[in-house]
Amino acid sequence: MSAEALSTQDTVVQDTVAQDTLAQDGGGGNNFLIPNGTIIVELVIFLVIFWVIWRYVVPPIKRVMNQRQDMVRRQIEESRQASERLEAAESKYQEALNEARTEAAKIRENARADAQRIKEDMREQADQEVARIRERGEEQLTTQREQVVRELRSELGALAVSLAGRIVGESLADESQRSATVDRFIDELDGMSATDGQATTRTGENR
Amino acid sequence: MSEHVLAAEGGIQVGQHPQVTFLGLTLNVDTMISTVIAALIVLGFAVYLRIKATSGVPTGLQLLFEAVTDQIERQVEENVGIRTAPFVVPLAVALFFFILIANWMSIVPHAFADYVGPPTADVNLTFALAFFVIILVHITGFRTRGVQYFRHFLGPVPAMAPIEVIQEIVRPFSLSLRLFGNIFAGTVMVSIIALMPEFIHWLPTTAWKLFELAIGLIQAIIFAVLTIVYFAGANPEEGAH
Protein backbone atom coordinates (compact mmCIF):
# COMPACT_ATOMS: atom_id res chain seq x y z
CA MET A 1 0.00 0.00 0.00
CA SER A 2 2.66 2.41 1.05
CA ALA A 3 4.76 1.28 -1.86
CA GLU A 4 1.89 1.92 -4.21
CA ALA A 5 1.33 5.37 -2.70
CA LEU A 6 5.00 6.14 -3.11
CA SER A 7 4.86 5.08 -6.71
CA THR A 8 1.83 7.30 -7.33
CA GLN A 9 3.51 10.17 -5.60
CA ASP A 10 6.58 9.58 -7.75
CA THR A 11 4.53 9.79 -10.90
CA VAL A 12 2.91 12.95 -9.69
CA VAL A 13 6.27 14.51 -8.93
CA GLN A 14 7.53 13.54 -12.37
CA ASP A 15 4.41 15.00 -13.91
CA THR A 16 4.86 18.25 -12.03
CA VAL A 17 8.49 18.53 -13.10
CA ALA A 18 7.48 17.97 -16.72
CA GLN A 19 4.79 20.61 -16.44
CA ASP A 20 7.26 22.97 -14.82
CA THR A 21 9.63 22.47 -17.72
CA LEU A 22 6.82 23.15 -20.12
CA ALA A 23 5.88 26.28 -18.24
CA GLN A 24 9.46 27.45 -18.09
CA ASP A 25 9.77 27.24 -21.87
CA GLY A 26 7.59 30.27 -21.80
CA GLY A 27 5.92 32.03 -24.72
CA GLY A 28 7.01 29.55 -27.33
CA GLY A 29 5.82 26.62 -25.25
CA ASN A 30 7.94 23.54 -25.56
CA ASN A 31 8.35 23.86 -29.30
CA PHE A 32 12.01 24.44 -30.09
CA LEU A 33 11.08 25.68 -33.56
CA ILE A 34 9.59 28.85 -32.06
CA PRO A 35 12.25 31.45 -31.35
CA ASN A 36 12.38 33.11 -27.94
CA GLY A 37 14.25 36.10 -26.54
CA THR A 38 17.58 34.58 -27.54
CA ILE A 39 16.97 35.77 -31.08
CA ILE A 40 17.68 39.36 -30.02
CA VAL A 41 20.97 38.38 -28.39
CA GLU A 42 21.96 36.41 -31.46
CA LEU A 43 21.10 39.30 -33.75
CA VAL A 44 23.13 41.72 -31.65
CA ILE A 45 26.13 39.39 -31.64
CA PHE A 46 25.93 38.97 -35.39
CA LEU A 47 25.57 42.72 -35.92
CA VAL A 48 28.78 43.23 -33.96
CA ILE A 49 30.58 40.70 -36.15
CA PHE A 50 29.11 42.20 -39.30
CA TRP A 51 30.16 45.68 -38.25
CA VAL A 52 33.71 44.61 -37.38
CA ILE A 53 34.16 42.69 -40.62
CA TRP A 54 32.60 45.51 -42.67
CA ARG A 55 34.68 48.26 -41.08
CA TYR A 56 37.93 46.59 -40.09
CA VAL A 57 38.49 43.41 -42.07
CA VAL A 58 37.19 43.67 -45.62
CA PRO A 59 38.75 47.08 -46.46
CA PRO A 60 42.35 46.13 -45.49
CA ILE A 61 41.97 42.74 -47.14
CA LYS A 62 40.77 44.38 -50.34
CA ARG A 63 43.53 46.96 -50.09
CA VAL A 64 46.30 44.38 -49.74
CA MET A 65 44.76 42.30 -52.52
CA ASN A 66 44.74 45.32 -54.80
CA GLN A 67 48.28 46.18 -53.78
CA ARG A 68 49.41 42.67 -54.57
CA GLN A 69 47.65 42.76 -57.92
CA ASP A 70 49.32 46.08 -58.69
CA MET A 71 52.65 44.66 -57.63
CA VAL A 72 52.24 41.61 -59.87
CA ARG A 73 51.13 43.83 -62.74
CA ARG A 74 54.12 46.10 -62.19
CA GLN A 75 56.50 43.17 -62.01
CA ILE A 76 55.15 41.73 -65.23
CA GLU A 77 55.53 45.14 -66.87
CA GLU A 78 59.06 45.48 -65.53
CA SER A 79 60.07 42.04 -66.69
CA ARG A 80 58.62 42.82 -70.12
CA GLN A 81 60.62 46.04 -70.24
CA ALA A 82 63.74 44.26 -69.09
CA SER A 83 63.42 41.63 -71.78
CA GLU A 84 62.81 44.37 -74.33
CA ARG A 85 65.90 46.19 -73.15
CA LEU A 86 67.88 42.99 -73.31
CA GLU A 87 66.70 42.39 -76.84
CA ALA A 88 67.60 45.94 -77.84
CA ALA A 89 71.01 45.62 -76.22
CA GLU A 90 71.60 42.34 -77.99
CA SER A 91 70.68 43.77 -81.36
CA LYS A 92 72.82 46.83 -80.68
CA TYR A 93 75.71 44.61 -79.69
CA GLN A 94 75.25 42.56 -82.85
CA GLU A 95 75.16 45.74 -84.89
CA ALA A 96 78.29 47.06 -83.22
CA LEU A 97 79.99 43.74 -83.80
CA ASN A 98 79.09 43.80 -87.47
CA GLU A 99 80.24 47.39 -87.73
CA ALA A 100 83.50 46.54 -86.05
CA ARG A 101 83.96 43.63 -88.41
CA THR A 102 83.40 45.80 -91.48
CA GLU A 103 85.64 48.44 -89.99
CA ALA A 104 88.35 45.86 -89.38
CA ALA A 105 87.99 44.51 -92.87
CA LYS A 106 88.21 48.02 -94.30
CA ILE A 107 91.30 48.78 -92.22
CA ARG A 108 92.89 45.54 -93.31
CA GLU A 109 92.06 46.31 -96.91
CA ASN A 110 93.51 49.79 -96.57
CA ALA A 111 96.62 48.43 -94.91
CA ARG A 112 97.02 45.91 -97.66
CA ALA A 113 96.56 48.62 -100.28
CA ASP A 114 99.01 50.86 -98.43
CA ALA A 115 101.53 48.07 -98.24
CA GLN A 116 101.12 47.42 -101.92
CA ARG A 117 101.48 51.08 -102.71
CA ILE A 118 104.52 51.48 -100.49
CA LYS A 119 106.07 48.40 -102.00
CA GLU A 120 105.48 49.75 -105.48
CA ASP A 121 106.79 53.17 -104.47
CA MET A 122 109.88 51.68 -103.00
CA ARG A 123 110.41 49.45 -105.96
CA GLU A 124 110.03 52.43 -108.26
CA GLN A 125 112.40 54.46 -106.11
CA ALA A 126 114.84 51.61 -106.10
CA ASP A 127 114.53 51.30 -109.85
CA GLN A 128 115.07 55.02 -110.25
CA GLU A 129 118.01 54.87 -107.91
CA VAL A 130 119.48 52.01 -109.85
CA ALA A 131 118.91 53.84 -113.10
CA ARG A 132 120.39 56.98 -111.69
CA ILE A 133 123.42 55.19 -110.32
CA ARG A 134 123.93 53.37 -113.55
CA GLU A 135 123.60 56.59 -115.49
CA ARG A 136 126.07 58.31 -113.29
CA GLY A 137 128.42 55.35 -113.56
CA GLU A 138 128.14 55.43 -117.29
CA GLU A 139 128.70 59.13 -117.30
CA GLN A 140 131.70 58.66 -115.15
CA LEU A 141 132.97 55.93 -117.38
CA THR A 142 132.52 58.08 -120.43
CA THR A 143 134.26 61.00 -118.78
CA GLN A 144 137.11 58.78 -117.70
CA ARG A 145 137.37 57.21 -121.11
CA GLU A 146 137.42 60.61 -122.72
CA GLN A 147 140.06 61.70 -120.27
CA VAL A 148 142.09 58.63 -120.94
CA VAL A 149 141.68 59.18 -124.65
CA ARG A 150 142.72 62.76 -124.27
CA GLU A 151 145.77 61.81 -122.22
CA LEU A 152 146.63 59.07 -124.61
CA ARG A 153 146.17 61.41 -127.52
CA SER A 154 148.69 63.81 -126.01
CA GLU A 155 151.12 61.42 -124.33
CA LEU A 156 150.97 58.31 -126.47
CA GLY A 157 151.59 60.30 -129.65
CA ALA A 158 154.69 61.92 -128.29
CA LEU A 159 155.93 58.71 -126.73
CA ALA A 160 155.36 56.67 -129.86
CA VAL A 161 157.02 59.33 -131.98
CA SER A 162 159.97 59.49 -129.72
CA LEU A 163 160.28 55.71 -129.74
CA ALA A 164 159.73 55.49 -133.48
CA GLY A 165 162.08 58.40 -133.97
CA ARG A 166 164.75 56.57 -132.12
CA ILE A 167 164.15 53.49 -134.22
CA VAL A 168 163.49 55.08 -137.61
CA GLY A 169 165.51 58.25 -137.21
CA GLU A 170 165.09 61.02 -139.76
CA SER A 171 162.39 59.31 -141.84
CA LEU A 172 159.68 60.55 -139.70
CA ALA A 173 160.82 64.06 -139.20
CA ASP A 174 157.98 65.50 -141.23
CA GLU A 175 155.55 66.91 -138.80
CA SER A 176 152.39 66.39 -140.83
CA GLN A 177 153.16 62.77 -141.64
CA ARG A 178 153.80 62.09 -137.99
CA SER A 179 150.53 63.53 -136.70
CA ALA A 180 148.55 61.68 -139.38
CA THR A 181 150.09 58.41 -138.29
CA VAL A 182 149.24 59.09 -134.66
CA ASP A 183 145.67 60.06 -135.48
CA ARG A 184 145.12 56.86 -137.44
CA PHE A 185 146.43 54.83 -134.57
CA ILE A 186 144.19 56.57 -132.07
CA ASP A 187 141.12 56.09 -134.31
CA GLU A 188 141.85 52.38 -134.49
CA LEU A 189 142.09 52.34 -130.71
CA ASP A 190 138.86 54.24 -130.48
CA GLY A 191 137.07 51.74 -132.68
CA MET A 192 138.35 48.91 -130.53
CA SER A 193 137.14 50.44 -127.29
CA ALA A 194 133.66 51.18 -128.76
CA THR A 195 133.14 47.49 -129.57
CA ASP A 196 134.28 46.67 -126.05
CA GLY A 197 131.73 49.10 -124.48
CA GLN A 198 128.87 47.60 -126.51
CA ALA A 199 129.71 44.12 -125.29
CA THR A 200 129.76 45.28 -121.66
CA THR A 201 126.28 46.90 -121.90
CA ARG A 202 124.76 43.76 -123.37
CA THR A 203 126.11 41.66 -120.56
CA GLY A 204 124.54 44.04 -117.96
CA GLU A 205 121.08 43.75 -119.54
CA ASN A 206 121.25 40.00 -119.50
CA ARG A 207 121.90 39.90 -115.81
CA MET B 1 3.60 13.47 -21.80
CA SER B 2 4.24 9.98 -23.09
CA GLU B 3 6.61 11.38 -25.69
CA HIS B 4 8.53 13.18 -23.00
CA VAL B 5 8.90 10.02 -20.93
CA LEU B 6 9.95 8.09 -23.98
CA ALA B 7 12.63 10.57 -24.75
CA ALA B 8 13.75 10.63 -21.13
CA GLU B 9 13.96 6.87 -21.04
CA GLY B 10 16.18 6.93 -24.14
CA GLY B 11 18.29 9.64 -22.53
CA ILE B 12 17.74 11.91 -25.48
CA GLN B 13 16.39 15.40 -25.01
CA VAL B 14 15.74 17.05 -28.30
CA GLY B 15 15.87 20.79 -28.53
CA GLN B 16 16.11 21.29 -24.79
CA HIS B 17 18.02 24.35 -23.65
CA PRO B 18 18.92 25.51 -20.15
CA GLN B 19 17.12 28.81 -19.91
CA VAL B 20 17.10 31.99 -17.87
CA THR B 21 14.61 34.81 -17.87
CA PHE B 22 15.97 38.31 -18.16
CA LEU B 23 13.83 41.45 -18.56
CA GLY B 24 10.91 39.22 -19.45
CA LEU B 25 12.87 37.51 -22.22
CA THR B 26 13.51 33.80 -22.17
CA LEU B 27 17.12 33.20 -23.06
CA ASN B 28 18.82 29.95 -24.08
CA VAL B 29 22.01 29.88 -22.05
CA ASP B 30 23.85 27.26 -24.09
CA THR B 31 23.16 29.00 -27.38
CA MET B 32 24.36 32.32 -26.03
CA ILE B 33 27.56 30.83 -24.64
CA SER B 34 28.30 29.03 -27.89
CA THR B 35 27.50 32.09 -29.98
CA VAL B 36 29.76 34.26 -27.89
CA ILE B 37 32.58 31.73 -28.25
CA ALA B 38 32.08 31.55 -32.02
CA ALA B 39 31.91 35.35 -32.19
CA LEU B 40 35.12 35.68 -30.18
CA ILE B 41 36.90 33.28 -32.53
CA VAL B 42 35.72 35.26 -35.58
CA LEU B 43 36.63 38.57 -33.94
CA GLY B 44 40.01 37.12 -32.98
CA PHE B 45 40.61 36.29 -36.63
CA ALA B 46 39.51 39.82 -37.51
CA VAL B 47 41.93 41.41 -35.07
CA TYR B 48 44.73 39.12 -36.21
CA LEU B 49 44.06 40.03 -39.83
CA ARG B 50 43.81 43.70 -39.01
CA ILE B 51 47.27 43.56 -37.46
CA LYS B 52 48.92 41.14 -39.85
CA ALA B 53 47.34 42.04 -43.21
CA THR B 54 50.15 42.64 -45.66
CA SER B 55 50.54 42.99 -49.39
CA GLY B 56 53.75 41.02 -49.08
CA VAL B 57 53.83 37.35 -48.20
CA PRO B 58 50.44 36.62 -46.61
CA THR B 59 49.76 34.28 -43.71
CA GLY B 60 47.57 31.24 -44.22
CA LEU B 61 44.60 32.88 -42.52
CA GLN B 62 44.99 35.95 -44.68
CA LEU B 63 45.05 33.76 -47.79
CA LEU B 64 41.84 32.10 -46.62
CA PHE B 65 40.15 35.45 -46.03
CA GLU B 66 41.43 36.76 -49.33
CA ALA B 67 40.17 33.72 -51.20
CA VAL B 68 36.72 33.95 -49.58
CA THR B 69 36.51 37.73 -50.02
CA ASP B 70 37.64 37.50 -53.61
CA GLN B 71 35.13 34.76 -54.39
CA ILE B 72 32.27 36.59 -52.71
CA GLU B 73 33.21 39.84 -54.39
CA ARG B 74 33.14 38.14 -57.77
CA GLN B 75 29.74 36.60 -57.00
CA VAL B 76 28.37 39.95 -55.90
CA GLU B 77 29.83 41.70 -58.92
CA GLU B 78 28.25 39.17 -61.26
CA ASN B 79 24.85 39.02 -59.58
CA VAL B 80 24.18 42.29 -57.82
CA GLY B 81 26.58 44.92 -59.09
CA ILE B 82 28.87 46.09 -56.35
CA ARG B 83 27.86 49.76 -56.59
CA THR B 84 24.19 49.24 -55.68
CA ALA B 85 24.96 47.36 -52.48
CA PRO B 86 28.56 47.78 -51.31
CA PHE B 87 27.74 46.22 -47.94
CA VAL B 88 26.77 42.86 -49.48
CA VAL B 89 30.39 41.72 -49.69
CA PRO B 90 31.19 42.28 -46.00
CA LEU B 91 27.76 40.90 -45.09
CA ALA B 92 28.36 37.68 -47.01
CA VAL B 93 31.91 37.42 -45.63
CA ALA B 94 30.66 37.93 -42.07
CA LEU B 95 27.83 35.42 -42.57
CA PHE B 96 30.18 32.86 -44.06
CA PHE B 97 32.79 32.98 -41.35
CA PHE B 98 30.36 33.33 -38.46
CA ILE B 99 28.18 30.43 -39.64
CA LEU B 100 31.27 28.35 -40.46
CA ILE B 101 32.75 28.73 -37.00
CA ALA B 102 29.34 28.28 -35.36
CA ASN B 103 28.73 25.08 -37.32
CA TRP B 104 32.19 23.75 -36.54
CA MET B 105 31.54 24.08 -32.84
CA SER B 106 29.80 20.74 -33.30
CA ILE B 107 33.22 19.13 -32.81
CA VAL B 108 33.08 20.06 -29.13
CA PRO B 109 32.80 16.74 -27.24
CA HIS B 110 29.32 15.52 -26.49
CA ALA B 111 30.02 15.70 -22.75
CA PHE B 112 29.82 19.52 -22.95
CA ALA B 113 26.71 19.49 -25.14
CA ASP B 114 24.56 20.96 -22.37
CA TYR B 115 26.40 24.29 -22.52
CA VAL B 116 28.51 24.40 -25.67
CA GLY B 117 27.39 23.12 -29.03
CA PRO B 118 26.82 24.49 -32.48
CA PRO B 119 24.65 27.60 -31.92
CA THR B 120 23.24 27.16 -35.40
CA ALA B 121 21.35 24.16 -34.00
CA ASP B 122 19.08 26.72 -32.37
CA VAL B 123 16.45 28.47 -34.49
CA ASN B 124 17.09 31.68 -32.57
CA LEU B 125 20.40 32.17 -34.36
CA THR B 126 19.28 31.07 -37.81
CA PHE B 127 16.05 33.10 -37.68
CA ALA B 128 17.99 36.15 -36.55
CA LEU B 129 20.42 35.85 -39.49
CA ALA B 130 17.82 34.96 -42.11
CA PHE B 131 15.34 37.68 -41.19
CA PHE B 132 18.11 40.25 -40.95
CA VAL B 133 19.24 39.29 -44.47
CA ILE B 134 15.75 39.23 -45.99
CA ILE B 135 14.72 42.54 -44.43
CA LEU B 136 17.96 44.08 -45.70
CA VAL B 137 17.21 42.69 -49.17
CA HIS B 138 13.78 44.34 -49.20
CA ILE B 139 15.17 47.64 -47.91
CA THR B 140 17.89 47.60 -50.56
CA GLY B 141 15.38 46.78 -53.28
CA PHE B 142 13.09 49.59 -52.20
CA ARG B 143 15.92 52.12 -51.90
CA THR B 144 17.36 51.38 -55.33
CA ARG B 145 14.11 51.02 -57.28
CA GLY B 146 11.49 52.80 -55.20
CA VAL B 147 7.88 51.77 -55.57
CA GLN B 148 8.76 49.86 -58.72
CA TYR B 149 10.37 47.28 -56.44
CA PHE B 150 7.00 46.04 -55.21
CA ARG B 151 5.89 45.22 -58.72
CA HIS B 152 8.01 42.08 -58.74
CA PHE B 153 5.74 40.66 -56.05
CA LEU B 154 3.08 40.48 -58.76
CA GLY B 155 5.18 38.18 -60.92
CA PRO B 156 5.37 38.19 -64.70
CA VAL B 157 1.61 37.56 -65.03
CA PRO B 158 -0.99 38.49 -62.42
CA ALA B 159 -1.97 34.84 -61.93
CA MET B 160 1.50 34.20 -60.53
CA ALA B 161 1.13 36.86 -57.86
CA PRO B 162 0.10 34.51 -55.01
CA ILE B 163 3.03 32.21 -55.75
CA GLU B 164 5.44 35.12 -55.81
CA VAL B 165 4.14 36.44 -52.51
CA ILE B 166 4.33 33.03 -50.90
CA GLN B 167 7.86 32.65 -52.18
CA GLU B 168 8.88 35.95 -50.63
CA ILE B 169 7.30 34.98 -47.31
CA VAL B 170 8.83 31.50 -47.32
CA ARG B 171 12.36 32.67 -48.14
CA PRO B 172 13.55 33.63 -44.64
CA PHE B 173 12.08 30.43 -43.24
CA SER B 174 13.69 28.21 -45.83
CA LEU B 175 16.98 30.05 -45.44
CA SER B 176 17.03 29.69 -41.66
CA LEU B 177 15.47 26.25 -41.29
CA ARG B 178 17.80 24.72 -43.89
CA LEU B 179 20.80 25.73 -41.79
CA PHE B 180 19.10 24.86 -38.53
CA GLY B 181 17.88 21.48 -39.76
CA ASN B 182 21.28 20.36 -41.00
CA ILE B 183 23.15 21.27 -37.86
CA PHE B 184 20.40 20.29 -35.45
CA ALA B 185 20.16 16.87 -37.11
CA GLY B 186 23.89 16.52 -36.57
CA THR B 187 23.53 17.09 -32.82
CA VAL B 188 20.59 14.65 -32.64
CA MET B 189 22.68 12.10 -34.49
CA VAL B 190 25.50 12.51 -31.97
CA SER B 191 23.02 12.01 -29.11
CA ILE B 192 21.72 8.83 -30.68
CA ILE B 193 25.23 7.51 -31.31
CA ALA B 194 26.00 8.26 -27.65
CA LEU B 195 23.41 5.61 -26.67
CA MET B 196 25.70 2.96 -28.10
CA PRO B 197 27.97 1.04 -25.69
CA GLU B 198 30.91 3.01 -24.37
CA PHE B 199 33.58 0.85 -25.97
CA ILE B 200 32.33 1.39 -29.54
CA HIS B 201 30.53 4.72 -29.78
CA TRP B 202 33.74 6.75 -30.22
CA LEU B 203 34.19 5.33 -33.71
CA PRO B 204 30.87 6.42 -35.29
CA THR B 205 31.05 9.65 -33.29
CA THR B 206 34.42 10.51 -34.82
CA ALA B 207 33.26 9.59 -38.30
CA TRP B 208 30.05 11.57 -37.88
CA LYS B 209 31.78 14.65 -36.54
CA LEU B 210 34.21 14.68 -39.47
CA PHE B 211 31.17 14.47 -41.73
CA GLU B 212 29.56 17.30 -39.78
CA LEU B 213 32.57 19.51 -40.56
CA ALA B 214 31.86 19.07 -44.25
CA ILE B 215 28.16 19.76 -43.70
CA GLY B 216 29.01 22.87 -41.69
CA LEU B 217 31.24 24.20 -44.50
CA ILE B 218 28.63 23.50 -47.17
CA GLN B 219 25.83 25.12 -45.15
CA ALA B 220 27.96 28.21 -44.54
CA ILE B 221 28.66 28.49 -48.28
CA ILE B 222 24.98 27.95 -49.13
CA PHE B 223 23.84 30.62 -46.68
CA ALA B 224 26.34 33.18 -48.02
CA VAL B 225 25.63 32.40 -51.68
CA LEU B 226 21.85 32.48 -51.19
CA THR B 227 22.21 35.85 -49.47
CA ILE B 228 23.96 37.17 -52.58
CA VAL B 229 21.33 35.57 -54.82
CA TYR B 230 18.51 37.21 -52.87
CA PHE B 231 20.22 40.58 -53.16
CA ALA B 232 20.56 39.93 -56.89
CA GLY B 233 16.81 39.26 -57.03
CA ALA B 234 16.18 42.64 -55.45
CA ASN B 235 18.09 44.35 -58.30
CA PRO B 236 17.13 42.48 -61.48
CA GLU B 237 18.24 45.27 -63.83
CA GLU B 238 21.58 45.65 -62.14
CA GLY B 239 22.07 41.91 -62.00
CA ALA B 240 21.44 41.55 -65.72
CA HIS B 241 24.95 42.73 -66.56
Side-chain angles (χ1 to χ4, degrees):
Chain A
M1 181 67 190
S2 64
E4 204 179 312
L6 203 72
S7 160
T8 317
Q9 207 178 5
D10 227 22
T11 320
V12 168
V13 167
Q14 215 173 32
D15 218 22
T16 321
V17 169
Q19 271 170 356
D20 276 357
T21 317
L22 277 172
Q24 249 180 26
D25 283 347
N30 199 23
N31 192 342
F32 57 80
L33 285 176
I34 308 286
N36 56 24
T38 320
I39 192 168
I40 295 165
V41 179
E42 304 295 328
L43 184 61
V44 168
I45 293 173
F46 175 70
L47 286 179
V48 170
I49 291 173
F50 176 33
W51 181 74
V52 167
I53 286 188
W54 186 5
R55 287 281 164 227
Y56 298 108
V57 174
V58 170
I61 288 286
K62 272 162 119 173
R63 198 186 61 234
V64 298
M65 278 165 74
N66 288 338
Q67 279 172 357
R68 192 170 310 126
Q69 274 173 354
D70 284 351
M71 197 169 70
V72 169
R73 202 172 295 132
R74 208 169 49 236
Q75 279 171 349
I76 287 171
E77 177 65 19
E78 273 170 8
S79 105
R80 198 180 56 76
Q81 281 176 354
S83 68
E84 264 174 13
R85 271 205 297 274
L86 176 68
E87 218 166 90
E90 256 172 12
S91 76
K92 206 178 276 178
Y93 162 74
Q94 203 61 41
E95 209 173 282
L97 196 67
N98 286 341
E99 216 167 272
R101 279 209 184 110
T102 19
E103 191 78 9
K106 209 188 283 173
I107 288 169
R108 204 159 50 222
E109 205 60 39
N110 283 349
R112 202 170 281 155
D114 275 359
Q116 192 67 26
R117 199 160 42 74
I118 289 166
K119 205 157 75 184
E120 274 168 13
D121 276 2
M122 285 178 81
R123 179 174 293 154
E124 206 175 315
Q125 257 177 359
D127 282 352
Q128 277 175 359
E129 191 79 4
V130 165
R132 198 166 51 77
I133 289 168
R134 193 162 61 200
E135 209 170 307
R136 212 171 48 206
E138 273 172 7
E139 264 172 29
Q140 233 167 1
L141 273 177
T142 314
T143 325
Q144 276 173 358
R145 190 168 58 88
E146 273 172 8
Q147 204 178 345
V148 167
V149 166
R150 231 182 358 258
E151 278 171 10
L152 278 179
R153 212 182 278 265
S154 57
E155 284 175 21
L156 201 63
L159 191 67
V161 167
S162 80
L163 283 174
R166 254 182 249 167
I167 298 162
V168 185
E170 266 73 73
S171 66
L172 286 179
D174 187 14
E175 184 70 25
S176 65
Q177 260 185 340
R178 197 176 56 196
S179 76
T181 311
V182 171
D183 279 349
R184 199 178 60 242
F185 176 72
I186 299 256
D187 280 345
E188 275 171 19
L189 211 70
D190 221 8
M192 246 167 68
S193 96
T195 341
D196 243 20
Q198 264 177 1
T200 317
T201 317
R202 204 174 294 129
T203 318
E205 273 173 0
N206 278 349
R207 200 179 293 144
Chain B
M1 180 59 215
S2 60
E3 277 174 312
H4 180 80
V5 171
L6 208 75
E9 274 172 0
I12 298 177
Q13 292 188 322
V14 166
Q16 298 295 311
H17 299 284
Q19 293 176 323
V20 294
T21 306
F22 180 70
L23 297 178
L25 295 169
T26 312
L27 304 173
N28 296 346
V29 176
D30 57 344
T31 306
M32 288 193 300
I33 293 174
S34 309
T35 310
V36 168
I37 292 173
L40 287 178
I41 293 172
V42 174
L43 292 178
F45 285 171
V47 170
Y48 177 80
L49 273 175
R50 179 76 189 166
I51 294 167
K52 287 278 201 172
T54 168
S55 61
V57 181
T59 58
L61 186 66
Q62 191 189 333
L63 276 179
L64 175 69
F65 261 82
E66 281 181 11
V68 170
T69 309
D70 191 40
Q71 201 61 37
I72 286 174
E73 202 164 24
R74 203 169 302 155
Q75 286 281 341
V76 171
E77 185 58 58
E78 277 173 17
N79 293 313
V80 190
I82 216 141
R83 273 165 297 119
T84 44
F87 56 85
V88 176
V89 172
L91 176 64
V93 171
L95 282 171
F96 175 76
F97 281 105
F98 180 48
I99 293 171
L100 182 71
I101 300 300
N103 288 350
W104 279 359
M105 288 190 65
S106 60
I107 59 168
V108 172
H110 184 58
F112 304 112
D114 280 348
Y115 290 101
V116 181
T120 36
D122 186 337
V123 283
N124 286 301
L125 173 55
T126 61
F127 274 143
L129 297 186
F131 276 94
F132 177 66
V133 166
I134 297 298
I135 288 169
L136 216 54
V137 166
H138 289 312
I139 291 174
T140 309
F142 182 71
R143 282 184 59 176
T144 49
R145 296 174 59 206
V147 186
Q148 287 287 309
Y149 174 67
F150 294 107
R151 282 184 65 183
H152 90 270
F153 287 111
L154 298 177
V157 288
M160 295 279 281
I163 296 173
E164 290 284 334
V165 170
I166 290 171
Q167 182 192 312
E168 291 296 333
I169 294 169
V170 161
R171 263 182 184 175
F173 291 98
S174 68
L175 188 60
S176 55
L177 291 179
R178 178 186 304 107
L179 175 59
F180 164 74
N182 273 278
I183 308 306
F184 178 70
T187 62
V188 172
M189 191 70 183
V190 170
S191 307
I192 291 169
I193 291 170
L195 294 180
M196 293 172 94
E198 281 280 338
F199 63 90
I200 191 65
H201 78 66
W202 57 270
L203 182 62
T205 304
T206 309
W208 178 255
K209 288 203 167 180
L210 287 175
F211 185 54
E212 271 198 310
L213 291 182
I215 293 176
L217 173 63
I218 290 166
Q219 289 305 319
I221 292 171
I222 288 173
F223 202 108
V225 169
L226 279 179
T227 299
I228 295 167
V229 169
Y230 291 159
F231 271 100
N235 292 295
E237 283 91 3
E238 195 64 42
H241 53 78

